[in-house]
Amino acid sequence: MRLALPRWAGTLAVKSAAFITVMCCALAALLGVLVHVSVTNQTVGQARDLALSRLQDATQAYEAGDTLLPGAGVDPAGLPVRLRALALAGKRGTMVTTHRGRPTMWAAGPADGHRALAVEVDYSQQAGTIAGLDRSILWSSVLAIGATLLVGAFAVTRVTRRLHGTAQVARRISAGDLDARVNDSRTKDPSRPQDEVAAVAAALDSMASSLQSKLLSEQRFTADVAHELRTPLTGLHAAAELLPPGRPTELVRDRVAALRTLTEDLLEISRLDTGRERLEVDTEELGALAGRVVRASGTETEVLIVRDVRVETDRRRLERVLGNLVANAHKHGAPPVVLTVDGPVVTVRDHGGGYPKYLVAHGPQRFRTEGGAKGHGLGLTIAWGQAEVLGALLSFANAVDGGAVATLTLPAGE
């Protein structure tokens, strides 16, 4: 089972801080151990040489029958057992122990019979030197790690701040703000060294500019085509009205009407694309407005008022949104179709096959339909755009027991 980490543990700053801390601790430990071992070996070696030198003098005095100097004796109290055994075996050696509450360096060698001649040297100063050195190494390591962390955090924070800014701009572009740019200062001055963050920022700005240019070209093309089609369509409609009655005439008039509807939809989409639509706000009873939309649609749609409410909205645009949702439910879904008003939330549900997966995940896309559905995908696109103009939220989902559910959440009214 994999351990779940908190969200903040995945950030670059935390990972960098952890890496810097581990590396600093490892380096400080390695250097500290090397210095400690080197100084300790040197200090112990000097104390050992001194103890062995005094042991040599004590041996000569003992063999000559002279009085032993202070700190030397035969089988003195406190002599470590292991060192005494070494001396009885005919060898010389040294050992550091605590004697009478203070560190002591012992040196021992064989004497006559089964006795050991030993000397003791005060080791307190050397032990204090090593302890002080260890404390200095510890505090120096702590200060070095702290300083390195501060410098590393400052450097990493500068990078992560730029990355967060780039990510924020990318999210704004994804949300539809194609004017958003990173404008990294390094990209404006070619003489400055370009790091990886600057390269990503420049690539994102270039992509946004290219995407904006292509989208504007598409919008202008759509608007130009729709405008150019209006004039010949008007003439075609007038000519169709002059045809003699009959089945062929009905087919021609039906296709001309469909083409005029498509052209008007394209013009409406082009106006929505420009983002210059203005609201004509008035107070409306949401239940009554929903009833008018259903009656105007001429469809068998059930209107269910759970809780009526007055809303400040643009009546024409709201009617357009609800009308398109009802028309789409009847055209691509299956009865019964129910329009429910529950406060500022309006839902339109049918009992057909449901919305395509791409529509639920990403919203409606013009000129895209699936499952053999007829149409151009403009009705829901227009409803989506008009809902944005109204400041409302339009979402699409599929019911658990089947059917498509469109939910329009209006801004809170009175």
Side-chain angles (χ1 to χ4, degrees):
M1 181 177 179
R2 188 175 181 180
L3 181 64
L5 297 175
R7 293 180 61 88
W8 55 264
T11 61
L12 180 61
V14 173
K15 291 181 179 178
S16 300
F19 176 77
I20 293 174
T21 302
V22 171
M23 292 304 297
C24 287
C25 290
L27 183 60
L30 178 61
L31 293 177
V33 169
L34 291 176
V35 173
H36 173 82
V37 170
S38 177
V39 173
T40 300
N41 288 340
Q42 182 179 2
T43 304
V44 172
Q46 292 175 351
R48 181 182 293 113
D49 292 341
L50 177 61
L52 290 175
S53 176
R54 291 187 179 182
L55 177 62
Q56 180 66 28
D57 294 340
T59 301
Q60 292 176 356
Y62 179 76
E63 292 177 349
D66 297 334
T67 304
L68 298 178
L69 296 175
V74 178
D75 290 335
L79 179 64
V81 177
R82 292 175 55 190
L83 188 58
R84 184 175 185 279
L86 183 66
L88 294 180
K91 299 179 181 179
R92 292 186 175 187
T94 60
M95 181 178 292
V96 177
T97 62
T98 301
H99 181 54
R100 296 172 184 172
R102 61 183 183 181
T104 302
M105 170 69 77
W106 289 94
D112 58 340
H114 295 285
R115 294 188 298 176
L117 178 62
V119 296
E120 59 178 292
V121 178
D122 187 10
Y123 193 70
S124 301
Q125 183 178 357
Q126 291 85 343
T129 300
I130 295 176
L133 175 66
D134 290 341
R135 287 192 296 271
S136 298
I137 292 175
L138 177 61
W139 285 110
S140 299
S141 300
V142 171
L143 292 176
I145 292 173
T148 305
L149 276 177
L150 290 176
V151 174
F154 174 75
V156 172
T157 301
R158 291 189 62 186
V159 175
T160 54
R161 187 184 300 117
R162 293 168 63 197
L163 287 175
H164 281 305
T166 303
Q168 184 177 5
V169 171
R171 285 190 290 267
R172 289 173 56 190
I173 294 173
S174 179
D177 183 8
L178 297 182
D179 292 323
R181 296 292 185 274
V182 180
N183 290 326
D184 192 287
S185 58
R186 292 178 179 266
T187 61
K188 298 179 180 179
D189 187 1
S191 62
R192 298 182 62 183
Q194 303 294 308
D195 58 9
E196 288 77 4
V197 180
V200 172
L204 181 62
D205 287 348
S206 177
M207 181 198 70
S209 298
S210 176
L211 182 62
Q212 185 178 39
S213 177
K214 291 180 180 179
L215 184 59
L216 291 176
S217 297
E218 177 187 339
Q219 292 173 355
R220 284 194 298 268
F221 175 77
T222 302
D224 292 343
V225 168
H227 280 290
E228 293 297 329
L229 284 176
R230 296 187 77 178
T231 300
L233 276 176
T234 302
L236 187 59
H237 177 72
E241 294 296 327
L242 298 177
L243 294 176
R247 181 59 180 169
T249 299
E250 293 178 1
L251 292 176
V252 170
R253 290 175 179 174
D254 178 70
R255 292 300 86 196
V256 170
L259 191 55
R260 290 188 66 181
T261 301
L262 174 60
T263 302
E264 294 300 325
D265 287 346
L266 288 174
L267 285 172
E268 185 170 358
I269 287 177
S270 67
R271 289 193 297 270
L272 291 172
D273 286 339
T274 61
R276 299 176 181 175
E277 294 287 85
R278 295 293 179 266
L279 293 177
E280 297 180 3
V281 180
D282 198 0
T283 303
E284 299 288 341
E285 293 282 351
L286 193 53
L289 187 145
R292 291 198 305 270
V293 169
V294 170
R295 288 192 297 272
S297 69
T299 60
E300 295 183 3
T301 302
E302 178 184 355
V303 179
L304 178 61
I305 308 297
V306 177
R307 180 169 62 91
D308 202 357
V309 68
R310 295 175 65 85
V311 293
E312 297 286 339
T313 188
D314 188 318
R315 177 182 59 81
R316 181 185 66 83
R317 298 183 189 279
L318 182 55
E319 288 178 348
R320 177 67 159 153
V321 173
L322 297 180
N324 282 15
L325 294 179
V326 171
N328 184 81
H330 282 280
K331 186 175 183 180
H332 301 290
V337 177
V338 181
L339 188 153
T340 304
V341 177
D342 186 2
V345 180
V346 183
T347 59
V348 178
R349 179 186 175 179
D350 62 60
H351 291 76
Y355 291 120
K357 293 182 179 180
Y358 82 87
L359 193 148
V360 175
H362 306 290
Q365 300 177 23
R366 63 191 72 174
F367 300 111
R368 178 174 179 178
T369 57
E370 289 187 1
K374 296 180 179 180
H376 306 283
L378 299 182
L380 293 183
T381 302
I382 292 174
W384 181 282
Q386 293 289 11
E388 288 186 345
V389 175
L390 291 173
L393 175 63
L394 179 58
S395 60
F396 303 93
N398 291 323
V400 177
D401 55 346
V405 181
T407 304
L408 179 68
T409 305
L410 295 166
E414 296 179 357

